[in-house]
Structure formats: C-alpha cells, structure tokens
Amino acid sequence: MPLINIKNLRFGYDGSDKILFDDITLGIDTSWKLALAGRNGRGKTTFFKLLQGKLPYEGTITGVPPTVTFPSEDDEIECEEWRIRKELNRLGADPDIMYRPMETLSGGERTKLMLARLFSSDGIYPLIDEPTNHLDRQGRELVADYLRSKDGFILISHDRNFLDSCTDHTLVITKTGMELTQSDFSTWWDNNEQRMEGEKQRNDQLKKEIGSLEESIKKNAKWSSKAEAVKNRAHAPSKVAEDHFRRAFEAEKARKLMSLAKNLENRNEKKIKEKQSLLQDLEKTETLKIKGGDHHSATPVRLKDVTLKRYGEVITEHIDLTVDKGSKISLQGPNGCGKSTLIKYLAGEDNDGIEAEGDIYIAQGLKISYVSQDTSFLKGDLYDLAVERGVDRTQLSTILIKMGFTKEMLRRDLTSFSLGQKKCVLIAMSLCQKADLYLWDEPLNYIDVYMRKEIERLVKESLITLLFVEHDRAFEEEVADTTVLL
C-alpha cells in the first residue's frame, strides 16, 4: 500500500480567523487501521476533504489512493453485486437489503449496506466518519469485528471501545497540531492524561517561578537605579577634592553593577517568555455541575409486568423496572426492543401513540428532564427555547460556553448548529433543570470523547436519579449501577 505524504499543510476556512491546520508534516501508511480523533470542531471531517482534494490548501499532499467516504451516496461506488452480498453476510445483514430503497432501511441496515459497498471494490481507500450512530451495542461489536478483519482505512468515532476494537494506529488532532502514535486510542488517551497531569503540576511550578522572576526583575531595576545614582555621585564635582583613584573605582563599580543588572533582566525576561510558551497543547475541559430535585419519594418509578404498545402494536412486554432515588440505570437491548419507547413513555412523550399496560407506579409531582435521541426539532433562537422550557438563560449560556461554544454561536439560529452542537444544547438544557428524574436517550451521539469524559464524571459524582439508553460501552460501564435488559 502507498504512503500518504503530507508536508507543511496549512488550512483555514475563508472568513474565519481560525487556522485548523498549520505546518502539518506527517506520513500515513494506507495499510494501517487508523483512528482519527480530536475534539469537535478540530477538523476531522475537514481532514478527509483535504485528502480528497475537495478544499484548497497550502503545502502538499501526495500518495493518496482513490478514496470513498462513509456515509456515502449509492452512485459514489461502482462494484459487483456478488461482492456486496458477500460483505453483507460478513456484517450479519440480510443481503437482500441492497435491493430495497434506502429510505425503507433502518439506520443500522443503512450503515451496514454503505460499509459493504465501501469494501466491495479493490484499490479504494475508505474514509469512515462515525459509523456507530445508528448501531446498538451488538451492532457496534459486529461492525468492529468486521473492520478489524480489513486493512487500510481511516476511522472517525467518539466511541472509545469501538475505536480500540478495530484500529492499530491513532492520529489525534490537538490544539497545536497532529499527533500520530502506533497504539489504540485508549492507550494514547491514558498516556496523554498522565502527560497532561504532569504538565499541570509543572504549570503550577512555572507560575511560581515566573512570579519569582518578575520579582527579581523589580529588584534588579531598583539595584540598577541605585548603581546609576552611585555612578553619578562618583562623577559629580565635589566641594572637597577627592582622591582620583577613589572616583575611578566608584565609576567602574557602578558600570559593572549596571551591566550585571541589565544581563539579569534580559535573562529573566527570556525565561518568562519560554515558560509562558509551554503547555500550549494542554486540553482544558471545563467542569460541569448538575443538581437534582428533592422529591420525597424513595422509589419514584416502579413497573411490574408492563407491556408497551405503539398504535396498538406490542413493542415489548414483561418489563420489570424499579427506579430508586439516586440510582443510575442503563437500559440495554437490541434496536427495536423498546428502549426509546419506554423512555418516551416515562417522559410523557405520547405523540407516537405510545400506551402501557400493567402494574405502573410513577410518583406524583415528579419533575422530569428528558434528552431525546432526535435533535431535528431544534430551530429558531436559543433563548426562546430556554424560555419555553423554563431554563435560566444565563446558566444555559455558562454551560454551553464550558462545552466549547462561543458567544457568537449563542446568537445563531439553532438550525445552523451541527448535530454534535445540537446534542450539547439538549444536554445543557437538562443540566439546567433541577429534576427528580433524568431520562436520557443516547445523549452522547455526536459528542466528542473529551466532553463524554466530563459528562461521565459529572454523572458519577452527582446524586441525581438517571435512567438512560447509551451504546457507548465505556460510559455505560463507568456510570450505571444497574443494567436492565429489554
């Protein structure tokens, strides 16, 4: 396989003062199973477009084979049907889905069909952008096994376990450039965390040193002024004739003191400049906070032998679920088993014809905060939405800025936000609500790993009551104290 050579790459979008890539030089072996990681907005998808020559840039990119991207349109790839059927079998999908219109396929079926097309042609280099969004836990494990059997692709995903399962190299877009390692993502993450912790400790020490140096400069300035005064007195006319050699001695002493003071000042200022230039790549994730409600019920929700229906059709049955105050419960199960339906029912989202039968107890006066899987309804002004949901706009702005938003973004129409930004809005809204029960349906879709880790910490350290659906195994294993399988 060829080697992609990137030299002195520089790129920024027109109209923006932000440079995404500045003087990047690296080589990528196209036989690697390469994970491409980094915070939202760092340019991962842009990097794909640069490799494909779809954007103008400074520098050179050579050695890129013919590429195809995921997600893709049907007409992007030409390949023989028997090959697609073969790949679909390997993905555990019904090969006949290739003959059905895309709009009739489930999200998981579309994902598997597009991946099958990607790997059905020889000499094509796949650029895969977040294939896990419509896959349940089992589907992610199956696709990870499939990709692990392939050679030569670049994969973007925010699911840590998924990346670790199917990649052997990691390319991370950092604040100051790109970092390439021969390891899986979690190994890079752990090493980076240790390095950053050391950098933070060193930063505290550097601040002390800078303070000492600045104090030293002040003292040197006083010393220099005093020496200058001594020199002036040495050359001033005296009422009493002084010895010629004494005047010469004082003048020379003052000159040396002045020179030493100036040298010390220059060296100290240089040290300060060097120390202040360190830690430029330190990723800072602002600390989020959440405070739940204070409902009196020790068991706000209890379901026994419950059947869920939508428009009269049974979705799932024999549900037994007890939600104790302060518990964090993960709902797991394959796509279509009723996880989102149950979350919607408990949230009071009955617009899908959802009804339930069985022994159902939901405490009266329960304040519920719901984060939906769908973000398409977000439109218009952010603060109008805040008023509609009874959310304090100052608190909402503060949380979103901690999530990486700018003040300019807060004034934009919600329809202009990316999927990841829309998901952040929903989570921020939820964090602003002092709820007795938080219901989150796949909250981490499109959220980068840095913010995922912060939300993970937030939930673990809080006393909130949370029922959630999430296919990110690392998050689920860290956060949930109970797992319920539908």
Side-chain angles (χ1 to χ4, degrees):
M1 298 290 279
L3 182 71
I4 298 174
N5 284 299
I6 300 171
K7 292 185 179 180
N8 308 121
L9 173 64
R10 180 179 171 85
F11 174 81
Y13 284 103
D14 290 342
S16 172
D17 57 359
K18 181 180 179 181
I19 301 299
L20 287 176
F21 303 106
D22 191 12
D23 198 25
I24 300 297
T25 296
L26 58 91
I28 299 173
D29 190 321
T30 55
S31 66
W32 291 342
K33 302 175 181 68
L34 180 64
L36 179 59
R39 303 207 67 170
N40 285 343
R42 284 279 161 78
K44 298 184 294 295
T45 303
T46 298
F47 186 67
F48 277 2
K49 293 179 180 179
L50 291 171
L51 291 179
Q52 293 180 296
K54 293 182 176 180
L55 295 171
Y57 58 86
E58 297 177 27
T60 61
I61 301 176
T62 59
V64 182
T67 62
V68 67
T69 58
F70 173 99
S72 60
E73 300 296 331
D74 287 349
D75 56 4
E76 274 194 62
I77 312 167
E78 295 183 7
C79 47
E80 297 172 277
E81 289 187 3
W82 70 269
R83 290 197 172 195
I84 299 176
R85 296 181 67 88
K86 179 180 177 182
E87 297 302 323
L88 284 170
N89 277 319
R90 289 179 175 177
L91 282 161
D94 180 0
D96 288 340
I97 65 173
M98 64 183 293
Y99 304 116
R100 289 167 50 190
M102 286 292 278
E103 60 269 17
T104 68
L105 302 180
S106 68
E109 288 172 331
R110 292 181 191 181
T111 294
K112 291 175 182 179
L113 179 57
M114 284 188 283
L115 287 173
R117 289 179 178 277
L118 283 185
F119 289 99
S120 293
S121 296
D122 295 328
I124 297 294
Y125 188 50
L127 305 176
I128 308 169
D129 193 349
E130 195 54 88
T132 64
N133 286 328
H134 300 292
L135 297 174
D136 57 24
R137 175 77 60 82
Q138 183 181 13
R140 293 185 185 205
E141 291 174 355
L142 197 152
V143 169
D145 288 341
Y146 174 77
L147 290 176
R148 187 164 56 245
S149 71
K150 301 298 182 181
D151 283 328
F153 57 81
I154 304 180
L155 170 66
I156 298 172
S157 178
H158 297 306
D159 187 319
R160 292 154 282 176
N161 284 83
F162 182 78
L163 283 178
D164 293 345
S165 297
C166 56
T167 59
D168 51 29
H169 286 70
T170 300
L171 179 62
V172 182
I173 304 176
T174 66
K175 290 171 67 175
T176 58
M178 302 185 81
E179 186 176 337
L180 178 64
T181 63
Q182 188 177 348
S183 68
D184 60 33
F185 176 77
S186 289
T187 299
W188 175 86
W189 177 272
D190 291 342
N191 291 337
N192 188 64
E193 285 286 284
Q194 293 176 14
R195 186 178 67 194
M196 288 299 125
E197 183 58 35
E199 295 289 281
K200 289 176 184 177
Q201 293 176 6
R202 201 162 82 234
N203 190 36
D204 293 339
Q205 181 61 33
L206 292 178
K207 286 180 180 178
K208 292 179 182 178
E209 291 182 21
I210 288 172
S212 298
L213 289 170
E214 288 175 338
E215 185 63 29
S216 178
I217 287 177
K218 292 178 183 178
K219 290 181 180 180
N220 290 340
K222 293 180 181 178
W223 185 23
S224 176
S225 298
K226 186 177 180 180
E228 182 67 19
V230 170
K231 185 180 77 171
N232 291 337
R233 287 198 305 272
H235 288 283
S238 177
K239 295 179 181 178
V240 181
E242 296 187 26
D243 183 81
H244 169 76
F245 294 104
R246 179 174 177 80
R247 291 201 308 271
F249 172 78
E250 292 289 352
E252 179 62 18
K253 180 181 177 181
R255 186 189 65 77
K256 289 181 177 179
L257 287 173
M258 281 285 292
S259 177
L260 180 59
K262 192 64 178 177
N263 288 338
L264 281 172
E265 183 176 349
N266 290 338
R267 287 204 302 270
N268 287 345
E269 287 180 344
K270 184 178 180 181
K271 287 180 182 179
I272 289 175
K273 188 175 180 180
E274 289 173 352
K275 292 178 186 297
Q276 288 175 336
S277 69
L278 295 174
L279 306 177
Q280 291 181 3
D281 213 28
L282 182 63
E283 292 284 6
K284 185 179 180 182
T285 303
E286 295 284 353
T287 301
L288 302 176
K289 295 181 180 180
I290 187 171
K291 185 177 181 180
D294 54 1
H295 195 277
H296 60 84
S297 178
T299 305
V301 175
R302 185 171 58 250
L303 309 179
K304 186 175 182 181
D305 196 23
V306 169
T307 298
L308 280 179
K309 297 180 180 180
R310 183 185 290 118
Y311 299 113
E313 181 182 351
V314 174
I315 301 299
T316 187
E317 52 189 348
H318 307 305
I319 301 173
D320 292 313
L321 173 66
T322 299
V323 180
D324 293 321
K325 189 174 182 179
S327 61
K328 281 90 174 176
I329 301 174
S330 168
L331 285 179
Q332 291 295 326
N335 286 342
C337 73
K339 300 185 298 297
S340 294
T341 304
L342 177 56
I343 292 281
K344 285 181 179 180
Y345 171 75
L346 293 175
E349 298 285 318
D350 57 357
N351 56 338
D352 285 336
I354 301 171
E355 54 185 341
E357 299 173 353
D359 186 358
I360 301 170
Y361 169 76
I362 300 176
Q364 288 188 347
L366 205 64
K367 295 179 182 177
I368 291 176
S369 177
Y370 172 55
V371 172
S372 69
Q373 193 177 140
D374 178 34
T375 62
S376 61
F377 66 92
L378 291 175
K379 59 186 67 176
D381 184 79
L382 175 67
Y383 296 124
D384 288 345
L385 181 64
V387 171
E388 179 185 318
R389 297 205 171 192
V391 168
D392 182 81
R393 60 179 289 168
T394 301
Q395 185 183 10
L396 178 63
S397 299
T398 300
I399 291 174
L400 287 173
I401 286 173
K402 286 184 176 183
M403 286 180 159
F405 282 54
T406 64
K407 291 182 179 179
E408 180 274 329
M409 288 171 61
L410 300 179
R411 296 189 292 269
R412 283 164 38 189
D413 191 289
L414 287 165
T415 55
S416 69
F417 285 10
S418 69
L419 291 173
Q421 290 166 345
K422 288 180 178 179
K423 206 66 170 185
C424 282
V425 168
L426 291 184
I427 293 174
M429 289 275 186
S430 186
L431 296 182
C432 289
Q433 297 167 326
K434 293 182 180 179
D436 304 307
L437 175 61
Y438 292 82
L439 300 172
W440 288 359
D441 191 0
E442 297 193 27
L444 302 186
N445 271 3
Y446 309 104
I447 301 293
D448 70 50
V449 69
Y450 296 88
M451 189 51 62
R452 288 185 184 211
K453 294 284 284 187
E454 175 55 22
I455 295 171
E456 184 179 292
R457 179 207 62 77
L458 168 78
V459 174
K460 284 175 64 177
E461 295 179 1
S462 72
L463 298 176
I464 65 169
T465 305
L466 173 67
L467 180 65
F468 69 96
V469 177
E470 180 51 58
H471 299 305
D472 184 323
R473 192 175 74 191
F475 180 87
E476 190 257 346
E477 290 176 350
E478 282 292 321
V479 165
D481 49 45
T482 305
T483 298
V484 173
L485 182 66
L486 297 188

